[in-house]
Amino acid sequence: MSTTKSLPAAAVHEAPPRRLTGRLKVVLAVLLVAQFMLAVDFSILNVALPAIGDDLGFSLADLQWVATAFALCAAGFTLFFGRIGDLIGRKRIFLGSLALLGVASLAGGLAPTPTILIIARVAQGLATAAATPAGLALLTTSFPEGPLRQKALGLNGALMSAGFTAGAVLGGVLTDLLSWRWAFFINVPVALAVLLVAPAVIAESRPAARPKVDLPGALSVTLGLLGVVYGLTRAGEHGWSDPLALTGLLAGAVLLVVFYLVERRTAQPLVPVRVLRKRTVAWGNVLGLLAFVTETSLVYLLTLYMQKTLGFSALAAGLSFGVLGAGTVTGGMLAPKAIARASTTAVLIGGGLLQAVFTAVLVFLGDTPASMGLLLPATFLGGVGNMLVIVGFMVTATTGLPDHEQGLATGLASMSQQVGITMGTPIMSAIATATAGGVVSAGPILHGVTTAIAVNAVLVLLGVLLAAVFLRTRRDRAHA
């Protein structure tokens, strides 16, 4: 069993701080800026894809790889890099991945050909897969378990969700006013600023003894996740009967079973089975997966609704999500206080019910702009509920594990987040398209969107049920 030193020797016996000190505020700011930038990258190029295709000569069939190449790497390698950070140092992984992200973003912005752009997107995805769990692990080990960590995770969750929403807005603004290339370039100064400040304020977290890297486990889980993400992305583009989509999903599922079997037998597993069997880790990550599947796919569905049914421009639709972003920031600020007053499970249940109710009311959207009077408040309140669930999931999934396993815990949490973001859109797209009968006129699209929204609400309620059944504690029953 390895041990981790995350504080200077002189500070080992000091009592953990109860309030944010000046240094902790700087640490928090640096990590939050980095995580916000990583979240923005998930959506900033969505609006810019047509302009990229026209400028670089992408074929319509190949254009999807601008998004897919990033998503495959960001989701597929997260767990592997999270564990590597445990072994060689999270600060080292964090800084190295941000440097790679800056270089890849510069290369993407300057890309003269589709091939170079795709290579840059692969590098961005790998950098995100490494930086996200490392940043979260540094956050959880920099702040002691309790109110300070809950506050830090609340702000982190709020900014990550707001970053995903802001990416759609920012991508439209930059593409319309400057060029799609600025959707890449904007990362460079942010990454540089973090790299200049972070080394001086963030403490390294190194294991005292380095166990062997579990290569069979690393290969099987990485290839398994790549297969699942590829299959889901392919299904969203070509339908669920597409042979390559089915092959990817089947191969991915088989490899993930192989991964579990490998972890049961190896002496030094990538993910110890005892951690996967821990109730808070297992069910916390299931709830996190559902939270990201539902909210990110709802953004897609409402974008489709506003552009195809109401006739909004891409920029106008993107700006409308500023209300959702405000809701997620509000939820992130409320979550730590709510957890302190009640419990994490109560916040998961309450937030899920709030999200479910205000997702469900969106099935009443109509075909006139007057429906924005329903959409805007519903997305604000649904965003509050979703962020309560996300913060509750982060706290649940990282609680009760020692510091030397926080990279593993946050790697699992990051994997749930990124796979959820990747899964949601193709699933809901397939439902909306099938219900609309493949017709792109306003009426059928509205019917398809509202049907998918109803399914979305049901998935949120499933999360509420799982939290109520599997995460109830004595404290929760005492409050009931």
PDB file of all heavy atoms in Angstrom, residues 361-388:
ATOM      1  N   VAL A 361     -41.559  19.916 -17.370  1.00  0.00           N
ATOM      2  CA  VAL A 361     -42.465  20.965 -17.857  1.00  0.00           C
ATOM      3  C   VAL A 361     -42.096  21.414 -19.267  1.00  0.00           C
ATOM      4  O   VAL A 361     -42.924  21.991 -19.977  1.00  0.00           O
ATOM      5  CB  VAL A 361     -42.470  22.192 -16.912  1.00  0.00           C
ATOM      6  CG1 VAL A 361     -42.935  21.811 -15.529  1.00  0.00           C
ATOM      7  CG2 VAL A 361     -41.115  22.877 -16.862  1.00  0.00           C
ATOM      8  N   LEU A 362     -40.880  21.106 -19.706  1.00  0.00           N
ATOM      9  CA  LEU A 362     -40.467  21.494 -21.051  1.00  0.00           C
ATOM     10  C   LEU A 362     -41.163  20.683 -22.142  1.00  0.00           C
ATOM     11  O   LEU A 362     -41.073  21.030 -23.323  1.00  0.00           O
ATOM     12  CB  LEU A 362     -38.942  21.361 -21.199  1.00  0.00           C
ATOM     13  CG  LEU A 362     -38.103  22.336 -20.359  1.00  0.00           C
ATOM     14  CD1 LEU A 362     -36.624  21.980 -20.440  1.00  0.00           C
ATOM     15  CD2 LEU A 362     -38.325  23.779 -20.830  1.00  0.00           C
ATOM     16  N   VAL A 363     -41.865  19.611 -21.772  1.00  0.00           N
ATOM     17  CA  VAL A 363     -42.632  18.875 -22.787  1.00  0.00           C
ATOM     18  C   VAL A 363     -43.797  19.727 -23.306  1.00  0.00           C
ATOM     19  O   VAL A 363     -44.387  19.408 -24.345  1.00  0.00           O
ATOM     20  CB  VAL A 363     -43.170  17.532 -22.240  1.00  0.00           C
ATOM     21  CG1 VAL A 363     -42.032  16.643 -21.788  1.00  0.00           C
ATOM     22  CG2 VAL A 363     -44.184  17.742 -21.121  1.00  0.00           C
ATOM     23  N   PHE A 364     -44.105  20.827 -22.618  1.00  0.00           N
ATOM     24  CA  PHE A 364     -45.202  21.705 -23.041  1.00  0.00           C
ATOM     25  C   PHE A 364     -44.724  22.836 -23.942  1.00  0.00           C
ATOM     26  O   PHE A 364     -45.493  23.763 -24.229  1.00  0.00           O
ATOM     27  CB  PHE A 364     -45.922  22.273 -21.812  1.00  0.00           C
ATOM     28  CG  PHE A 364     -46.543  21.223 -20.938  1.00  0.00           C
ATOM     29  CD1 PHE A 364     -45.992  20.896 -19.699  1.00  0.00           C
ATOM     30  CD2 PHE A 364     -47.672  20.530 -21.359  1.00  0.00           C
ATOM     31  CE1 PHE A 364     -46.551  19.931 -18.905  1.00  0.00           C
ATOM     32  CE2 PHE A 364     -48.242  19.551 -20.562  1.00  0.00           C
ATOM     33  CZ  PHE A 364     -47.687  19.244 -19.338  1.00  0.00           C
ATOM     34  N   LEU A 365     -43.480  22.798 -24.394  1.00  0.00           N
ATOM     35  CA  LEU A 365     -42.992  23.819 -25.319  1.00  0.00           C
ATOM     36  C   LEU A 365     -43.816  23.820 -26.605  1.00  0.00           C
ATOM     37  O   LEU A 365     -44.183  22.754 -27.122  1.00  0.00           O
ATOM     38  CB  LEU A 365     -41.515  23.566 -25.658  1.00  0.00           C
ATOM     39  CG  LEU A 365     -40.498  23.790 -24.531  1.00  0.00           C
ATOM     40  CD1 LEU A 365     -39.116  23.316 -24.971  1.00  0.00           C
ATOM     41  CD2 LEU A 365     -40.455  25.263 -24.126  1.00  0.00           C
ATOM     42  N   GLY A 366     -44.065  25.027 -27.116  1.00  0.00           N
ATOM     43  CA  GLY A 366     -44.836  25.157 -28.351  1.00  0.00           C
ATOM     44  C   GLY A 366     -43.971  25.593 -29.516  1.00  0.00           C
ATOM     45  O   GLY A 366     -42.743  25.611 -29.428  1.00  0.00           O
ATOM     46  N   ASP A 367     -44.623  25.974 -30.604  1.00  0.00           N
ATOM     47  CA  ASP A 367     -43.886  26.311 -31.823  1.00  0.00           C
ATOM     48  C   ASP A 367     -43.800  27.818 -32.069  1.00  0.00           C
ATOM     49  O   ASP A 367     -43.551  28.257 -33.189  1.00  0.00           O
ATOM     50  CB  ASP A 367     -44.520  25.625 -33.034  1.00  0.00           C
ATOM     51  CG  ASP A 367     -45.994  25.980 -33.212  1.00  0.00           C
ATOM     52  OD1 ASP A 367     -46.516  26.808 -32.432  1.00  0.00           O
ATOM     53  OD2 ASP A 367     -46.620  25.425 -34.137  1.00  0.00           O
ATOM     54  N   THR A 368     -44.009  28.616 -31.019  1.00  0.00           N
ATOM     55  CA  THR A 368     -43.883  30.064 -31.153  1.00  0.00           C
ATOM     56  C   THR A 368     -42.861  30.583 -30.145  1.00  0.00           C
ATOM     57  O   THR A 368     -42.611  29.947 -29.114  1.00  0.00           O
ATOM     58  CB  THR A 368     -45.228  30.768 -30.899  1.00  0.00           C
ATOM     59  OG1 THR A 368     -45.587  30.608 -29.515  1.00  0.00           O
ATOM     60  CG2 THR A 368     -46.323  30.194 -31.791  1.00  0.00           C
ATOM     61  N   PRO A 369     -42.269  31.762 -30.413  1.00  0.00           N
ATOM     62  CA  PRO A 369     -41.288  32.331 -29.475  1.00  0.00           C
ATOM     63  C   PRO A 369     -41.837  32.586 -28.080  1.00  0.00           C
ATOM     64  O   PRO A 369     -41.062  32.746 -27.132  1.00  0.00           O
ATOM     65  CB  PRO A 369     -40.880  33.643 -30.156  1.00  0.00           C
ATOM     66  CG  PRO A 369     -41.102  33.399 -31.613  1.00  0.00           C
ATOM     67  CD  PRO A 369     -42.330  32.533 -31.676  1.00  0.00           C
ATOM     68  N   ALA A 370     -43.166  32.613 -27.928  1.00  0.00           N
ATOM     69  CA  ALA A 370     -43.749  32.802 -26.596  1.00  0.00           C
ATOM     70  C   ALA A 370     -43.321  31.698 -25.630  1.00  0.00           C
ATOM     71  O   ALA A 370     -43.320  31.894 -24.408  1.00  0.00           O
ATOM     72  CB  ALA A 370     -45.270  32.852 -26.696  1.00  0.00           C
ATOM     73  N   SER A 371     -42.947  30.529 -26.179  1.00  0.00           N
ATOM     74  CA  SER A 371     -42.524  29.417 -25.326  1.00  0.00           C
ATOM     75  C   SER A 371     -41.236  29.707 -24.586  1.00  0.00           C
ATOM     76  O   SER A 371     -40.889  28.986 -23.633  1.00  0.00           O
ATOM     77  CB  SER A 371     -42.352  28.146 -26.163  1.00  0.00           C
ATOM     78  OG  SER A 371     -43.601  27.663 -26.605  1.00  0.00           O
ATOM     79  N   MET A 372     -40.494  30.737 -25.006  1.00  0.00           N
ATOM     80  CA  MET A 372     -39.281  31.091 -24.273  1.00  0.00           C
ATOM     81  C   MET A 372     -39.620  31.533 -22.853  1.00  0.00           C
ATOM     82  O   MET A 372     -38.783  31.448 -21.952  1.00  0.00           O
ATOM     83  CB  MET A 372     -38.523  32.199 -25.005  1.00  0.00           C
ATOM     84  CG  MET A 372     -37.953  31.775 -26.357  1.00  0.00           C
ATOM     85  SD  MET A 372     -36.775  30.408 -26.243  1.00  0.00           S
ATOM     86  CE  MET A 372     -35.407  31.201 -25.400  1.00  0.00           C
ATOM     87  N   GLY A 373     -40.854  32.005 -22.634  1.00  0.00           N
ATOM     88  CA  GLY A 373     -41.307  32.364 -21.297  1.00  0.00           C
ATOM     89  C   GLY A 373     -41.371  31.159 -20.378  1.00  0.00           C
ATOM     90  O   GLY A 373     -41.319  31.299 -19.145  1.00  0.00           O
ATOM     91  N   LEU A 374     -41.522  29.962 -20.946  1.00  0.00           N
ATOM     92  CA  LEU A 374     -41.464  28.723 -20.176  1.00  0.00           C
ATOM     93  C   LEU A 374     -40.039  28.183 -20.128  1.00  0.00           C
ATOM     94  O   LEU A 374     -39.560  27.748 -19.069  1.00  0.00           O
ATOM     95  CB  LEU A 374     -42.385  27.676 -20.817  1.00  0.00           C
ATOM     96  CG  LEU A 374     -42.310  26.248 -20.265  1.00  0.00           C
ATOM     97  CD1 LEU A 374     -42.751  26.219 -18.799  1.00  0.00           C
ATOM     98  CD2 LEU A 374     -43.164  25.302 -21.105  1.00  0.00           C
ATOM     99  N   LEU A 375     -39.348  28.237 -21.262  1.00  0.00           N
ATOM    100  CA  LEU A 375     -38.023  27.627 -21.377  1.00  0.00           C
ATOM    101  C   LEU A 375     -37.008  28.275 -20.440  1.00  0.00           C
ATOM    102  O   LEU A 375     -36.254  27.569 -19.753  1.00  0.00           O
ATOM    103  CB  LEU A 375     -37.546  27.704 -22.828  1.00  0.00           C
ATOM    104  CG  LEU A 375     -36.226  26.997 -23.175  1.00  0.00           C
ATOM    105  CD1 LEU A 375     -36.260  26.510 -24.624  1.00  0.00           C
ATOM    106  CD2 LEU A 375     -35.010  27.916 -22.992  1.00  0.00           C
ATOM    107  N   LEU A 376     -36.971  29.594 -20.389  1.00  0.00           N
ATOM    108  CA  LEU A 376     -35.921  30.267 -19.625  1.00  0.00           C
ATOM    109  C   LEU A 376     -36.006  30.006 -18.121  1.00  0.00           C
ATOM    110  O   LEU A 376     -35.004  29.600 -17.508  1.00  0.00           O
ATOM    111  CB  LEU A 376     -35.925  31.759 -19.934  1.00  0.00           C
ATOM    112  CG  LEU A 376     -35.522  32.132 -21.377  1.00  0.00           C
ATOM    113  CD1 LEU A 376     -35.638  33.631 -21.599  1.00  0.00           C
ATOM    114  CD2 LEU A 376     -34.119  31.641 -21.701  1.00  0.00           C
ATOM    115  N   PRO A 377     -37.162  30.207 -17.469  1.00  0.00           N
ATOM    116  CA  PRO A 377     -37.198  29.893 -16.030  1.00  0.00           C
ATOM    117  C   PRO A 377     -37.020  28.409 -15.735  1.00  0.00           C
ATOM    118  O   PRO A 377     -36.422  28.035 -14.720  1.00  0.00           O
ATOM    119  CB  PRO A 377     -38.573  30.394 -15.576  1.00  0.00           C
ATOM    120  CG  PRO A 377     -39.386  30.507 -16.817  1.00  0.00           C
ATOM    121  CD  PRO A 377     -38.435  30.820 -17.915  1.00  0.00           C
ATOM    122  N   ALA A 378     -37.526  27.558 -16.641  1.00  0.00           N
ATOM    123  CA  ALA A 378     -37.393  26.114 -16.408  1.00  0.00           C
ATOM    124  C   ALA A 378     -35.931  25.680 -16.495  1.00  0.00           C
ATOM    125  O   ALA A 378     -35.472  24.856 -15.697  1.00  0.00           O
ATOM    126  CB  ALA A 378     -38.232  25.336 -17.423  1.00  0.00           C
ATOM    127  N   THR A 379     -35.193  26.232 -17.450  1.00  0.00           N
ATOM    128  CA  THR A 379     -33.774  25.850 -17.545  1.00  0.00           C
ATOM    129  C   THR A 379     -32.977  26.419 -16.368  1.00  0.00           C
ATOM    130  O   THR A 379     -32.028  25.782 -15.900  1.00  0.00           O
ATOM    131  CB  THR A 379     -33.148  26.308 -18.876  1.00  0.00           C
ATOM    132  OG1 THR A 379     -33.359  27.718 -19.066  1.00  0.00           O
ATOM    133  CG2 THR A 379     -33.747  25.551 -20.045  1.00  0.00           C
ATOM    134  N   PHE A 380     -33.359  27.594 -15.877  1.00  0.00           N
ATOM    135  CA  PHE A 380     -32.665  28.146 -14.710  1.00  0.00           C
ATOM    136  C   PHE A 380     -32.854  27.238 -13.498  1.00  0.00           C
ATOM    137  O   PHE A 380     -31.881  26.818 -12.855  1.00  0.00           O
ATOM    138  CB  PHE A 380     -33.178  29.550 -14.387  1.00  0.00           C
ATOM    139  CG  PHE A 380     -32.590  30.121 -13.123  1.00  0.00           C
ATOM    140  CD1 PHE A 380     -31.346  30.734 -13.134  1.00  0.00           C
ATOM    141  CD2 PHE A 380     -33.276  30.034 -11.918  1.00  0.00           C
ATOM    142  CE1 PHE A 380     -30.781  31.238 -11.965  1.00  0.00           C
ATOM    143  CE2 PHE A 380     -32.734  30.541 -10.745  1.00  0.00           C
ATOM    144  CZ  PHE A 380     -31.484  31.151 -10.777  1.00  0.00           C
ATOM    145  N   LEU A 381     -34.096  26.905 -13.184  1.00  0.00           N
ATOM    146  CA  LEU A 381     -34.381  26.100 -12.002  1.00  0.00           C
ATOM    147  C   LEU A 381     -33.903  24.654 -12.194  1.00  0.00           C
ATOM    148  O   LEU A 381     -33.408  24.032 -11.247  1.00  0.00           O
ATOM    149  CB  LEU A 381     -35.875  26.140 -11.682  1.00  0.00           C
ATOM    150  CG  LEU A 381     -36.370  27.519 -11.214  1.00  0.00           C
ATOM    151  CD1 LEU A 381     -37.893  27.577 -11.206  1.00  0.00           C
ATOM    152  CD2 LEU A 381     -35.817  27.843  -9.833  1.00  0.00           C
ATOM    153  N   GLY A 382     -34.038  24.127 -13.399  1.00  0.00           N
ATOM    154  CA  GLY A 382     -33.503  22.795 -13.673  1.00  0.00           C
ATOM    155  C   GLY A 382     -31.993  22.778 -13.541  1.00  0.00           C
ATOM    156  O   GLY A 382     -31.405  21.796 -13.074  1.00  0.00           O
ATOM    157  N   GLY A 383     -31.324  23.883 -13.949  1.00  0.00           N
ATOM    158  CA  GLY A 383     -29.873  23.986 -13.793  1.00  0.00           C
ATOM    159  C   GLY A 383     -29.461  24.017 -12.337  1.00  0.00           C
ATOM    160  O   GLY A 383     -28.435  23.425 -11.963  1.00  0.00           O
ATOM    161  N   VAL A 384     -30.242  24.694 -11.492  1.00  0.00           N
ATOM    162  CA  VAL A 384     -29.968  24.681 -10.043  1.00  0.00           C
ATOM    163  C   VAL A 384     -30.022  23.247  -9.528  1.00  0.00           C
ATOM    164  O   VAL A 384     -29.116  22.782  -8.818  1.00  0.00           O
ATOM    165  CB  VAL A 384     -30.981  25.564  -9.288  1.00  0.00           C
ATOM    166  CG1 VAL A 384     -30.802  25.393  -7.779  1.00  0.00           C
ATOM    167  CG2 VAL A 384     -30.826  27.035  -9.671  1.00  0.00           C
ATOM    168  N   GLY A 385     -31.085  22.531  -9.894  1.00  0.00           N
ATOM    169  CA  GLY A 385     -31.238  21.156  -9.436  1.00  0.00           C
ATOM    170  C   GLY A 385     -30.126  20.253  -9.934  1.00  0.00           C
ATOM    171  O   GLY A 385     -29.572  19.442  -9.177  1.00  0.00           O
ATOM    172  N   ASN A 386     -29.763  20.391 -11.216  1.00  0.00           N
ATOM    173  CA  ASN A 386     -28.706  19.558 -11.783  1.00  0.00           C
ATOM    174  C   ASN A 386     -27.378  19.791 -11.072  1.00  0.00           C
ATOM    175  O   ASN A 386     -26.637  18.847 -10.798  1.00  0.00           O
ATOM    176  CB  ASN A 386     -28.571  19.843 -13.273  1.00  0.00           C
ATOM    177  CG  ASN A 386     -27.450  19.044 -13.926  1.00  0.00           C
ATOM    178  OD1 ASN A 386     -26.399  19.574 -14.234  1.00  0.00           O
ATOM    179  ND2 ASN A 386     -27.677  17.760 -14.141  1.00  0.00           N
ATOM    180  N   MET A 387     -27.077  21.044 -10.748  1.00  0.00           N
ATOM    181  CA  MET A 387     -25.810  21.328 -10.081  1.00  0.00           C
ATOM    182  C   MET A 387     -25.802  20.809  -8.652  1.00  0.00           C
ATOM    183  O   MET A 387     -24.758  20.374  -8.150  1.00  0.00           O
ATOM    184  CB  MET A 387     -25.511  22.825 -10.120  1.00  0.00           C
ATOM    185  CG  MET A 387     -24.133  23.182  -9.606  1.00  0.00           C
ATOM    186  SD  MET A 387     -22.781  22.152 -10.269  1.00  0.00           S
ATOM    187  CE  MET A 387     -23.054  22.343 -12.024  1.00  0.00           C
ATOM    188  N   LEU A 388     -26.946  20.831  -7.967  1.00  0.00           N
ATOM    189  CA  LEU A 388     -27.025  20.209  -6.648  1.00  0.00           C
ATOM    190  C   LEU A 388     -26.668  18.730  -6.741  1.00  0.00           C
ATOM    191  O   LEU A 388     -25.935  18.188  -5.896  1.00  0.00           O
ATOM    192  CB  LEU A 388     -28.430  20.380  -6.061  1.00  0.00           C
ATOM    193  CG  LEU A 388     -28.840  21.800  -5.661  1.00  0.00           C
ATOM    194  CD1 LEU A 388     -30.319  21.828  -5.279  1.00  0.00           C
ATOM    195  CD2 LEU A 388     -27.986  22.323  -4.507  1.00  0.00           C
TER     196      LEU A 388
END
